Amino acid sequence: MVLVLAGSAAYLLRAPAPTTHDDMQWLPGRQFTMGASDPHGFANERPAHVVTVDGFWMDEHPVTNAQFRLFVQATGYVTTAERPVIWEELQAQLPPGTPRPPDDQLLPGSLIFTPPAGPVPLDDVSAWWRWQTGANWQHPEGPDSTIEGRDNHPVVHVSWDDAAAYGGWAGKRLPTEAEWEYAARGGLERRRFSWGDDFMPQGHQMANTFQGDFPHHQTAEDGFSGTSPVKSFPPNGYGLYDVAGNVWQWTADWYRPDTFAGRADDPRLCDNPVGPTSSFDPDDPYAQQRVIKGGSFLCHVTYCESYRPSARRGTSPDTSSSHVGFRLVSST
């Protein structure tokens, strides 16, 4: 039995058969260069530094709706997005004095992408994100939507707590940020993307990203305007799919924008790094955040280009949205 704490709830989960390595790839331990040194990297990706990781198994692709359904059916687990919002927990992540929202905004729900009618300033994400009551992993666009026909799409609207609970049930765990980036690079060193430096080698789409004019005009030249079935695009050098685009993926690590600066100054911290002991982001000082990696179907070169292996972002562990999922690893 595995006791899993998920926000304010606790679940006693029975693991299925011992962890198998079906649909996983073995990544041998080695050194690699983590972070960015090229002009495309953001400040929170610097400096590039050499890290060592031990070998581990990683899921070939993000956890799908079909896989997550088995977990829910086996355990009765209720995701964060399906539970009412507890104002006291939300209040702790907001500036002092933030007024309590109306009760109808504290109902179960999640964040969904809603393209604006035309161009908008790119420094205000509220122009394309909105809270949707009734949105969750089974209803990605809201209560009237379903995942019928999307069994092989990555599960979305899952919080860090949900991903950790699934990992406890499956006998696996979330990867550290170092493990995730090492895996995403596919054996390539200091390359812009997981497949090389050319975004579309020989004109081929390599990942599910945003085409057109972000965020209002999606041309879907890669064939998808939202999530795509896993394995829709070529794998990287380690046989891993969807390490770029499609959905952001949770990692185990707390987020700080200056993580790499402190680590690079002390080589002892570069041996199987597990991230900082706490989270702090001066741009969002009241929220605790975990690292997400990989970018999503909403990433575009004019906005974030976060389908690069070194790209990283912090997100509150109780947050869910229509473009964040996860994949798991195992050390044994």
Side-chain angles (χ1 to χ4, degrees):
M1 304 293 285
V2 179
L3 179 65
V4 175
L5 299 177
S8 59
Y11 292 84
L12 191 62
L13 306 181
R14 181 181 297 277
T19 303
T20 69
H21 299 135
D22 295 342
D23 299 319
M24 300 185 84
Q25 292 288 344
W26 172 253
L27 281 67
R30 55 165 283 191
Q31 287 187 335
F32 78 104
T33 302
M34 186 174 184
S37 58
D38 63 87
H40 302 285
F42 296 125
N44 69 346
E45 303 168 34
R46 305 181 188 281
H49 56 292
V50 176
V51 164
T52 300
V53 293
D54 292 337
F56 59 96
W57 294 89
M58 176 174 264
D59 289 343
E60 286 186 345
H61 55 75
V63 172
T64 64
N65 285 316
Q67 292 172 313
F68 198 78
R69 182 187 299 115
L70 292 176
F71 162 60
V72 171
Q73 290 174 343
T75 64
Y77 183 83
V78 178
T79 63
T80 301
E82 296 171 286
R83 302 179 221 141
V85 178
I86 299 175
W87 166 240
E88 289 74 18
E89 294 181 1
L90 178 62
Q91 187 180 32
Q93 304 176 42
L94 300 172
T98 300
R100 188 182 193 279
D103 287 343
D104 62 1
Q105 294 182 25
L106 298 177
L107 297 174
S110 189
L111 293 166
I112 65 171
F113 172 70
T114 306
V120 293
L122 297 184
D123 59 355
D124 181 10
V125 299
S126 67
W128 57 87
W129 284 106
R130 68 179 174 89
W131 177 263
Q132 175 62 59
T133 300
N136 55 55
W137 75 273
Q138 299 182 87
H139 306 287
E141 290 79 49
D144 296 329
S145 65
T146 75
I147 53 173
E148 184 176 354
R150 289 190 264 185
D151 272 4
N152 289 327
H153 285 238
V155 65
V156 292
H157 295 296
V158 283
S159 68
W160 188 94
D161 295 324
D162 301 332
Y166 180 100
W169 171 78
K172 303 178 186 180
R173 61 178 173 82
L174 286 167
T176 65
E177 181 180 4
E179 288 173 331
W180 197 100
E181 185 169 331
Y182 164 63
R185 290 186 177 278
L188 299 179
E189 280 285 318
R190 298 179 181 271
R191 296 299 182 93
R192 187 175 176 186
F193 308 112
S194 61
W195 54 86
D197 291 321
D198 185 358
F199 180 64
M200 291 180 59
Q202 299 181 335
H204 294 298
Q205 298 278 358
M206 301 297 289
N208 180 6
T209 62
F210 195 99
Q211 292 91 47
D213 299 314
F214 183 83
H216 63 285
H217 180 53
Q218 164 69 287
T219 60
E221 295 166 24
D222 61 8
F224 303 99
S225 58
T227 60
S228 54
V230 298
K231 298 189 175 184
S232 293
F233 297 86
N236 73 358
Y238 288 148
L240 302 173
Y241 296 84
D242 297 290
V243 289
N246 208 3
V247 292
W248 284 95
Q249 294 161 42
W250 290 108
T251 73
D253 290 13
W254 289 111
Y255 174 77
R256 293 182 65 100
D258 59 353
T259 295
F260 296 170
R263 182 186 297 165
D265 293 336
D266 187 348
R268 294 172 300 176
L269 301 178
C270 295
D271 185 10
N272 290 302
V274 294
T277 57
S278 62
S279 168
F280 179 73
D281 182 355
D283 292 330
D284 194 3
Y286 299 99
Q288 295 292 294
Q289 300 178 336
R290 298 279 185 173
V291 175
I292 55 174
K293 298 281 286 182
S296 78
F297 65 89
L298 294 177
C299 286
H300 189 271
V301 67
T302 62
Y303 178 58
C304 69
E305 200 185 27
S306 290
Y307 36 78
R308 295 171 297 103
S310 60
R312 55 199 303 266
R313 179 176 296 178
T315 299
S316 173
D318 61 358
T319 294
S320 61
S321 68
S322 55
H323 74 153
V324 177
F326 68 100
R327 74 202 308 149
L328 299 173
V329 299
S330 173
S331 299
T332 57

